[in-house]
DNA sequence: GAATGATATTCAATATATCGAATGATAGAG
DNA sequence: CTCTATCATTCGATATATTGAATATCATTC
């Protein structure tokens, strides 16, 4: 799957910093994300330029992050990179997230039964989604993502899911839809029709639009009434999603999502 | 394995905040760690009390963290907990950490061959270590930790490793040694002797001191000359580490650690 | 080897994040 | 239902984090 740029990194930072009562934290988060995205160690100046920060401020923030072991500092090269402290936080999150725990066995079963890759994702409004659980079947060729990956909200089957059950005004959907990148982008009308179908059936499908040859199915999960908080996703290639397979998969995904919703709200 | 409390959480926070030029970040990190440790969602007041923060400041920090999706806010209960944003950072870290990538296949091979659990850990001076890679054999009963776990630096075999190759003054070692919790704590003299042996052989061993019945072996890994930066650890129970097994394991671990050191420094 | 351009870092002025008291909001007891 | 206790939240005064210029350090070019 294709990764996306983080919109908050460059453009929105100035605004976020201004509005906040703790701007150092926005800056720190932006730095962490930048270091994560780049992967290679960066110097103070580079980071500051990239994020539009004052170098001295950037230095102080980095030093604080180093102190907290969220950022590693190489004294020889004077370069900064992510440190293992972020792992400790992630482990704590994984251990306690209800959806993750409940979804994992369900995903394992589904990916086994249908021979495809399944994901549990958390929805963040119209901005993006984050993969929080994953399971792969033992088949040879598999599409793969990792827990922690971010994708734009409205793309693929999950996007139709969000549009179908989020009750968002069209004025908010359209501009975001126009910015998406698909391998074979649907027209706005085509997409609207598919969203309507998702609303009717309870499951959204993307047939080769996001990635050609790949069928993605998504079903919404609710933690509370209102907008769905999570979704179950199945990603299939080849025979797994052809012919009789697809309706059965949709059925199974829908049932699993309903069951999860009940468990989460109870 | 037994988890440890984070020393920076309560006691050291005030000092760290005072010294820093970006105190909001220390507070933010402390909040993240607290939320991670507790697992259950917490209110502003509770967090502030626990960490010795002013409630209003605590609120501002929390809001900034929510904005960055590092903390989730339940508007109904007004409780805060870790959010999935920390996952994204962790994934980025895992993807780019050289030691993690190089160590994983080595650990897989070792755990398979000897039928035990192996870890790759990153060393943080005399403070603590963080597990950054793990592999388990397919045997039924296995000791288990997770990537991201933290342990005190000087405990078990890794501790002897750090003491043996870190060239720390005794005055710094002793007070930390005295604070450790073992199931069957060795005396200071006993421990010193084992550290000396580790220095001589290149591998450290803990025979049931940290956890009774469990043998832990650790070998240091260097990214650069000076103090070791990482270590390879093998954790065995029963026959895997009895008789002829142990010397063979020590040999294999040492060889693997040497090879890794070379790859990392090159 | 001097000069150049880039970097990281320090420092004092000032915009502002932080504090503590005051205000709302909420839940539980009587 | 009222009272009380505890919580989250707002707000103005002030200690201080942030800034931008100045300095120090480093690598590279002529």
């Amino acid at each position: 799957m294709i990764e996306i740029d983080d919109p908050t990194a460059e453009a929105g930072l100035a605004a976020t910093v201004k509005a906040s009562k703790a701007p150092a934290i926005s800056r720190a988060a932006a730095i962490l994300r930048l270091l994560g995205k780049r992967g290679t160690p960066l110097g103070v100046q580079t980071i500051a330029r990239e994020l539009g920060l004052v170098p001295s401020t950037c230095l102080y923030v980095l030093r604080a992050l180093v102190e907290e072991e969220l950022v590693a500092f190489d004294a020889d090269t004077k370069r900064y990179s992510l440190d293992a402290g972020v792992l400790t936080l992630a482990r704590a999150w994984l251990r306690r997230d209800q959806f993750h725990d409940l979804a994992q066995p369900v995903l394992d079963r589904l990916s086994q039964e249908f021979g495809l890759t399944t994901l549990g994702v958390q929805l963040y409004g119209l901005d993006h989604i984050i993969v929080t659980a994953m399971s792969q079947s033992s088949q040879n060729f598999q599409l793969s993502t990792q827990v922690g990956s971010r994708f734009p909200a409205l793309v693929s089957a999950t996007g139709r899911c969000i549009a179908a059950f989020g009750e968002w005004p069209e004025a908010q959907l359209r501009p975001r839809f126009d910015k998406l990148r698909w391998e074979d982008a649907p027209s706005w009308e085509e997409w609207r029709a598919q969203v309507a179908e998702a609303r009717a059936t309870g499951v959204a499908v993307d047939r080769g639009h996001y990635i050609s040859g790949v069928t993605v199915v998504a079903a919404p999960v609710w933690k509370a009434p209102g907008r769905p908080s999570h979704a179950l996703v199945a990603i299939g290639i080849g025979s797994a999603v052809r012919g009789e397979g697809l309706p059965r998969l949709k059925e199974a995904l829908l049932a699993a999502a309903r069951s999860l919703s009940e468990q989460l709200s109870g």
Side-chain angles (χ1 to χ4, degrees), chain A:
Chain A
M1 281 188 170
I2 303 136
E3 292 290 321
I4 51 157
D5 288 353
D6 192 328
T8 52
E10 286 122 75
L13 215 190
T16 315
V17 162
K18 271 270 175 277
S20 168
K21 286 259 184 188
I25 290 165
S26 308
R27 286 189 270 254
I31 289 176
L32 290 174
R33 280 193 297 259
L34 178 68
L35 291 176
K37 192 161 62 170
R38 286 286 184 283
T40 124
L42 301 176
V44 179
Q45 207 78 219
T46 315
I47 298 169
R49 217 177 313 108
E50 202 97 4
L51 299 172
L53 298 177
V54 175
S56 54
T57 306
C58 188
L59 178 69
Y60 295 138
V61 171
L62 280 167
R63 286 220 257 248
L65 288 171
V66 168
E67 183 71 26
E68 304 299 333
E69 280 171 21
L70 297 172
V71 165
F73 175 57
D74 185 326
D76 296 330
T77 63
K78 310 244 171 203
R79 296 281 111 118
Y80 299 82
S81 53
L82 280 190
D83 201 357
V86 297
L87 273 191
T88 308
L89 294 175
R91 180 186 60 116
W93 184 90
L94 282 173
R95 209 170 41 185
R96 311 285 184 155
D97 182 60
Q98 238 197 328
F99 174 76
H100 171 82
D101 289 348
L102 291 171
Q104 193 63 58
V106 174
L107 296 177
D108 289 340
R109 186 174 54 74
L110 287 171
S111 62
Q112 189 103 60
E113 186 180 338
F114 290 91
L116 30 69
T117 300
T118 54
L119 308 177
V121 303
Q122 187 161 329
L123 313 181
Y124 286 86
L126 289 177
D127 288 326
H128 57 264
I129 64 176
I130 295 184
V131 176
T132 64
M134 190 198 58
S135 184
Q136 302 188 225
S137 83
S138 40
Q139 308 249 120
N140 279 0
F141 292 99
Q142 283 290 315
L143 294 157
S144 159
T145 325
Q146 285 195 324
V147 166
S149 298
R150 291 166 62 139
F151 296 94
L154 289 185
V155 94
S156 192
T158 335
R160 298 188 180 84
C161 217
I162 292 168
F165 303 101
E167 284 163 16
W168 301 94
E170 187 161 322
Q172 286 199 49
L173 292 176
R174 189 64 201 260
R176 285 161 207 268
F177 175 84
D178 289 335
K179 285 200 198 96
L180 297 178
R181 289 191 302 195
W182 314 64
E183 285 204 351
D184 172 26
S187 71
W188 170 250
E189 288 73 23
E190 209 177 331
W191 188 75
R192 290 303 313 258
Q194 291 165 350
V195 167
E197 194 191 325
R199 194 169 8 238
T201 61
V203 201
V205 181
D206 178 297
R207 280 186 156 283
H209 284 294
Y210 185 48
I211 303 171
S212 14
V214 176
T215 298
V216 183
V217 186
V221 174
W222 279 266
K223 197 159 75 179
R227 289 185 176 132
S229 59
H230 299 81
L232 297 183
V233 183
I235 306 169
I237 44 178
S239 59
V241 286
R242 256 197 276 286
E244 190 46 35
L246 188 58
R248 267 186 52 236
L249 176 60
K250 285 167 73 172
E251 198 63 40
L253 208 66
L254 185 57
R258 285 215 176 109
S259 153
L260 269 183
S261 296
E262 260 179 50
Q263 291 181 69
L264 282 171
S265 61

